[in-house]
Amino acid sequence: MIRRDLHQHNRLAWDAVTPAHSSHKRDEAGFFRAGGTTLFDDEVHLLLGTGPEGHVLEDIRASGERPLAGLRLLHAPCNAGQDTLSLARLGADVTGVDISPTAIAAAQTLAEDAGIAARFAVADLYDWLPAQPAGFDVVFMSYGALIWMSDLDALFAAVAGVLKPGGRFVGIEFHPLAQMYDERGVLTYPYGGGAHVVGETGVGDYVAASGPALAPSGFLEGQVGFKNPHATHEFSWGVADILGAQLKAGLVLEVVREYPYANGCRIWPDMVETPGRRYVPAGGGAVPPLMLGWSSRRPA
């Protein structure tokens, strides 16, 4: 069931935390003007149908290629637009959609200051997607998007509806298994089925907790001790939920990948950063999969 009422509660939490996140990022516009990107190799491999190994972003920058040129791409939800603009830098004709007007205002300002062409819209995806024609070559979702979605069947049916025949739905997420653990690394939350989880402390300042890995333009101390006044409502989706909803929507799965590290985000406090802005648990040893990636296609 689509819970638009809870989506609006979450909007308040994102409106509150976005300025705190932005406060830690040094001169993002200058970073983009100089050719910077906030993307990781893993999502670019999925977008290009390559990999999963190799430093594809370094190769692209060295060659000056724009491998997404000619593609209409929807990034949803897009938060404050840094990844959206990075996708535009790869040549995509990109549209970013997010429920938070504060995040979209930040995205629009950054696009103007960086001189990167992109379109942005403030909307609940459950309202925006069904109103669009089948005009996108790619729909892209990433990193903590699905926990805010109250009905995957309805969402992915709408995603399939905006794709052109032959178009692809590409995503990379923190793994549902890893999301069963709280910020202390303690097994706490239910797995899958869309279980409703109330977060009394709201969206936190994970940029401050993650440091330079989430601020490649340069990390600033910024706002200290942020506390979100708005609780959140999250939804627990398992691997079968995520992949099954795509199949139910008529999409054909082409790639499914799992990763033993978390890009950018220190999801547990004892994690250590490794090359490539990747976090892994300290001490080594056995770890659960920390990210899940996929690519599926609307039949031509």
Side-chain angles (χ1 to χ4, degrees), residues 43-84:
E43 55 258 39
V44 179
H45 278 304
L46 289 167
L47 286 162
L48 300 184
T50 59
E53 298 178 350
H55 299 297
V56 64
L57 284 166
E58 289 182 10
D59 295 341
I60 290 170
R61 186 165 186 172
S63 68
E65 294 179 359
R66 290 162 58 84
L68 301 183
L71 297 181
R72 286 197 64 206
L73 187 148
L74 172 63
H75 181 203
C78 69
N79 195 247
Q82 292 91 348
D83 284 359
T84 317

Side-chain angles (χ1 to χ4, degrees), residues 173-260:
E173 269 288 354
F174 298 116
H175 201 284
L177 182 58
Q179 291 180 342
M180 295 180 70
Y181 296 83
D182 68 11
E183 65 278 0
R184 301 164 297 164
V186 176
L187 189 62
T188 303
Y189 300 112
Y191 182 87
H196 179 199
V197 176
V198 178
E200 296 293 349
T201 58
V203 183
D205 192 354
Y206 52 78
V207 179
S210 300
L214 280 183
S217 63
F219 182 75
L220 300 171
E221 182 179 40
Q223 186 172 343
V224 176
F226 172 80
K227 295 186 183 301
N228 203 314
H230 303 287
T232 55
H233 299 269
E234 302 174 13
F235 304 91
S236 175
W237 300 111
V239 173
D241 299 317
I242 295 167
L243 302 183
Q246 293 179 59
L247 296 174
K248 188 174 181 179
L251 299 171
V252 178
L253 285 165
E254 296 184 320
V255 173
V256 179
R257 293 177 182 156
E258 294 176 305
Y259 307 83

Side-chain angles (χ1 to χ4, degrees), residues 23-46:
S23 75
H24 304 295
K25 300 172 183 178
R26 185 191 307 275
D27 189 16
E28 291 184 284
F31 171 73
F32 279 112
R33 288 195 299 269
T37 181
T38 56
L39 296 172
F40 293 85
D41 283 323
D42 299 299
E43 55 258 39
V44 179
H45 278 304
L46 289 167

Side-chain angles (χ1 to χ4, degrees), residues 124-164:
D124 186 325
L125 286 175
Y126 288 90
D127 298 323
W128 191 87
L129 287 167
Q132 308 305 310
F136 289 97
D137 298 288
V138 179
V139 174
F140 177 63
M141 290 185 176
S142 62
Y143 302 114
L146 295 183
I147 63 171
W148 309 108
M149 305 298 161
S150 56
D151 187 323
L152 285 196
D153 286 347
L155 178 70
F156 289 172
V159 165
V162 301
L163 286 170
K164 296 177 180 178

